[in-house]
Amino acid sequence: MSFFHSALALALGALQLAPAPPLPKAGERTGVATSATAAIRDAGQRDALRFTVWYPTHTARAETPLSIGPPDAPLFQEAGRVEDAPVSGGRLPTLLLSHGNGGTARMMGWLGTALARAGYLVIAVDHPGNNGIDPMTLAGSVLPWLRADDLATALAAVQADPVLGAHVDTARLGLVGYSAGGFTALVAAGARPDMPRLARFCAAHPDDGVCRPQDESPTHTQAARVAAAASPELAPHVRQAGQSRALPGVRAAFLLAPAIVQAFDPAELEALQLPLSIMVGTDDAVAAPASNSDVAAALAGNAVIRHLPGVAHYDFLSECTPVGADRLQALCRTAVPKAATHAAAVDEALRFFGENLR
């Protein structure tokens, strides 16, 4: 054997013997920012905005489960994360994640932690007056465009954080939104809502899932929302709904079962030119594809849509524990295993953001 071939064989052997580098884990840090619009929506008029950040880490510490609900009887549980772990890597592609009506940042942890393990820095918020930890308020329902301000506030807070700030890459900025969070992402992408248009749609289609009271806030009927919007307290804010809340530098948006799409004039959606990936279940009765996802996909200039057969609206929430399945059957009962739905969403998010942010 020649010297060249001997050297090549040794080199190949060394490559085969070298251990594979450890895969990243999901790190987690939480924080609180100050937000003037939070006080408008929060039941206690607090100006605090909670946020959660997931990111890649190579710490030796093990991930611990991310659970939601009473510590002794959690209702939802997902794959783990490592709290306050060091961040791996330099500047990371950054995603802003918005939950659905009555949800929380952690209810979307199944997606946020998966993206973090793949090398993304994910910033998620608990939208004031419209989350599952604090009392739900009519203001939180009536002023949904302010959710885009929450994403901007959380991004600024993370940029100023002494640990996380150096890892935010606003040149590779994306949006992720589920349900009402899909509406939030469209607003943050530049679409301006027309709330009277939504009211007219609901007057003509009262049985549409978006127009009916939601399980998370059954007293928030369409009549109650219309009355609140006209109240002296909220009317001045409602008049500002059509202002642009586009976040600078957003390059792509991934929407899961987006809701409230009828609040946008078709021209607003047609004007969106950033890449959009939309995923929705064919059995979604809360944010029906025909009046939400399909509309956005047909009008937006650079959108793709995927329909998941047999998947319903709440299938995009976290996995239920046995206790949760017993207590929250409407949120936990599925025709398709949530694990399969989550895997499809993660795969599409990685493909989509890999093409548009990497």
Side-chain angles (χ1 to χ4, degrees):
M1 181 181 292
S2 68
F3 173 79
F4 171 78
H5 287 97
S6 298
L8 179 61
L10 288 172
L12 291 174
L15 286 174
Q16 292 171 352
L17 293 174
L23 295 175
K25 300 170 186 174
E28 178 187 271
R29 290 177 181 266
T30 59
V32 180
T34 300
S35 165
T37 67
I40 301 167
R41 294 166 285 158
D42 180 74
Q45 288 77 55
R46 296 169 298 178
D47 63 357
L49 173 71
R50 296 186 300 269
F51 60 87
T52 300
V53 184
W54 296 294
Y55 50 85
T57 181
H58 284 90
T59 181
R61 292 159 52 200
E63 291 184 337
T64 56
L66 193 161
S67 60
I68 302 166
D72 58 339
L75 304 174
F76 302 91
Q77 188 162 301
E78 290 295 340
R81 80 282 187 248
V82 188
E83 293 183 278
D84 298 326
V87 186
S88 293
R91 292 199 176 274
L92 303 169
T94 301
L95 304 174
L96 306 177
L97 192 160
S98 176
H99 64 73
N101 180 60
T104 62
R106 283 195 167 177
M107 282 294 282
M108 300 304 296
W110 62 268
L111 180 56
T113 56
L115 291 167
R117 294 184 196 97
Y120 293 87
L121 187 144
V122 183
I123 304 170
V125 302
D126 292 338
H127 292 292
N130 196 240
N131 67 73
I133 299 173
D134 308 315
M136 296 276 282
T137 67
L138 270 168
S141 294
V142 170
L143 309 175
W145 57 90
L146 294 180
R147 286 163 144 258
D149 294 352
D150 298 337
L151 298 183
T153 298
L155 174 61
V158 175
Q159 286 179 292
D161 184 89
V163 174
L164 298 170
H167 299 281
V168 175
D169 189 349
T170 54
R172 294 183 290 169
L173 186 62
L175 301 167
V176 182
Y178 159 66
S179 191
F183 167 89
T184 308
L186 290 170
V187 173
R192 296 172 299 176
D194 178 350
M195 301 313 288
R197 185 181 194 279
L198 177 66
R200 292 191 298 271
F201 172 82
C202 286
H205 304 87
D207 290 331
D208 186 272
V210 168
C211 303
R212 295 196 307 265
Q214 303 297 304
D215 291 341
E216 302 87 355
S217 49
T219 62
H220 293 185
T221 63
Q222 183 62 15
R225 284 180 279 182
V226 170
S231 68
E233 295 78 16
L234 299 186
H237 303 290
V238 172
R239 288 194 288 269
Q240 300 174 9
Q243 296 178 356
S244 175
R245 285 177 162 77
L247 295 183
V250 170
R251 289 172 50 182
F254 179 51
L255 313 182
L256 293 170
I260 327 178
V261 173
Q262 291 296 326
F264 297 106
D265 185 272
E268 289 295 319
L269 297 175
E270 290 170 350
L272 292 178
Q273 293 302 312
L274 83 169
L276 291 178
S277 176
I278 304 172
M279 180 171 284
V280 64
T282 59
D283 291 9
D284 193 330
V286 176
S291 55
N292 292 280
S293 298
D294 294 351
V295 173
L299 293 173
N302 193 7
V304 296
I305 187 168
R306 180 180 174 187
H307 298 84
L308 299 182
V311 169
H313 192 72
Y314 297 118
D315 293 11
F316 293 107
L317 296 179
S318 290
E319 288 272 13
C320 297
T321 64
V323 174
D326 181 59
R327 296 182 182 177
L328 303 171
Q329 295 184 20
L331 301 185
C332 297
R333 186 187 300 114
T334 65
V336 177
K338 277 189 178 182
T341 301
H342 290 180
V346 170
D347 287 348
E348 172 58 16
L350 293 178
R351 180 205 66 78
F352 176 67
F353 287 124
E355 291 181 359
N356 292 287
L357 297 187
R358 288 292 188 180

